[in-house]
Amino acid sequence: YMRRIGQAEELLNGHYRRLTRALREEMEQEAADLHFEQAAALRDRIRAIEVLGKRQKVIAGICADTDVWGVYTGPARAGCAVLHIEDGDLLGRRVEVLPAAEDDAALLSAVVTQYYLDREVLPREILLPLPVEDMDTLSALLTERCGHAVTLRIPQRGQRRELLDIANRNAREEVERVTSDAERTAGTLRLLQELAELPALPRRMESYDISHTGGSDQVGGMVVFQDGKPLKSAYRRFRIESCAGADDYGAMREVLTRRFRHYLDGDEKFAPLPDLLLIDGGQEHARVAEQVLAGCGL
């Protein structure tokens, strides 16, 4: 068992040739002992490792000394990942999680420059998913510092692009791993606040819809979300009393008027006021809601 664990470590460390040599010796011994099933299993294992080795060799040909960058900006936090590859082996991985940035390009520009200006040993090639500020100047500066050419590339396709995708996934997975549910929710609400141009974070949201059966038995539904989660104790259903038939606008007017009158009359079940109303329908439905709010002095 421990021998197999050691072989797994060899595999994950990229030592394909050494592992293959050890397995081949083991296979030949099993065959000499007439343990043909075990020998066949080892043969299949060797073939699988050789496939990995071929793939690794292809990457080694284009990435002999390369840093690969990934970036991800979430609603609450952002992150950068850098993978260092030499001769096809992944020799280093570093992921930095930071407060949310304006966008990926701004984050990458700040982090990449800071990362390399403090390092003595520099790669020959740096792969980036996006342009950073003054790429040519940075390339010249790094080349002058280390004594060999340092090339910055933004691959669009091929194996280099695949490596960038892996680095981007590393950045995203680490950001999502360390971001708490509360941070994720707050970040999403912040994005919604910007999208709807609200003066405050939409901590309480109320949604309204009207339903009926063939024009009769009209009811209005009120659904409440508090801090991004359903607040089912605050859900309400209104039986429409003021209009007959299928009158969506009249029914919406009645539901909203009753809801806000309850609040104005001091009914604690209808407090506090929402930061955002979501009205099912079209522009006329939204206009009805604005008229009701204005009529209530809200």
Side-chain angles (χ1 to χ4, degrees), residues 47-96:
R47 287 176 179 172
I49 293 168
E50 286 175 343
V51 169
L52 286 177
K54 288 177 183 176
R55 169 67 176 163
Q56 194 83 345
K57 191 173 181 181
V58 171
I59 294 176
I62 63 167
C63 296
D65 183 11
T66 303
D67 278 359
V68 185
W69 282 85
V71 63
Y72 172 72
T73 299
R77 298 194 188 195
C80 284
V82 56
L83 312 178
H84 181 63
I85 298 173
E86 285 187 21
D87 296 326
D89 291 336
L90 177 63
L91 297 187
R93 172 184 177 274
R94 180 174 173 181
V95 182
E96 191 83 20

Side-chain angles (χ1 to χ4, degrees), residues 191-205:
L191 292 176
L192 179 57
Q193 179 186 355
E194 294 172 5
L195 178 68
E197 298 179 354
L198 302 175
L201 208 64
R203 299 194 60 193
R204 182 181 172 105
M205 294 181 280

Side-chain angles (χ1 to χ4, degrees), residues 230-286:
L231 184 63
K232 295 191 176 182
S233 62
Y235 286 16
R236 296 290 180 269
R237 184 171 57 194
F238 301 83
R239 187 177 298 279
I240 306 303
E241 301 168 350
S242 63
C243 45
D247 182 0
D248 249 20
Y249 302 137
M252 186 65 75
R253 185 182 304 277
E254 178 186 329
V255 167
L256 293 172
T257 300
R258 287 166 60 185
R259 182 262 179 268
F260 290 112
R261 283 295 169 197
H262 277 295
Y263 168 78
L264 294 172
D265 291 341
D267 189 340
E268 293 183 358
K269 293 180 180 178
F270 288 88
L273 289 173
D275 301 301
L276 177 65
L277 290 180
L278 301 176
I279 308 297
D280 185 70
Q283 289 185 356
E284 285 303 316
H285 294 81

Side-chain angles (χ1 to χ4, degrees), residues 65 119-124 138-151:
D65 183 11
R119 302 181 77 84
E120 296 181 359
V121 179
L122 299 173
R124 295 184 177 276
L138 179 60
S139 175
L141 178 63
L142 297 179
T143 296
E144 183 180 350
R145 278 190 52 217
C146 68
H148 63 72
V150 179
T151 305

Side-chain angles (χ1 to χ4, degrees), residues 11 16 19-20 23 45-54:
L11 180 69
Y16 298 105
L19 175 58
T20 301
L23 289 174
R45 199 169 298 167
I46 290 168
R47 287 176 179 172
I49 293 168
E50 286 175 343
V51 169
L52 286 177
K54 288 177 183 176

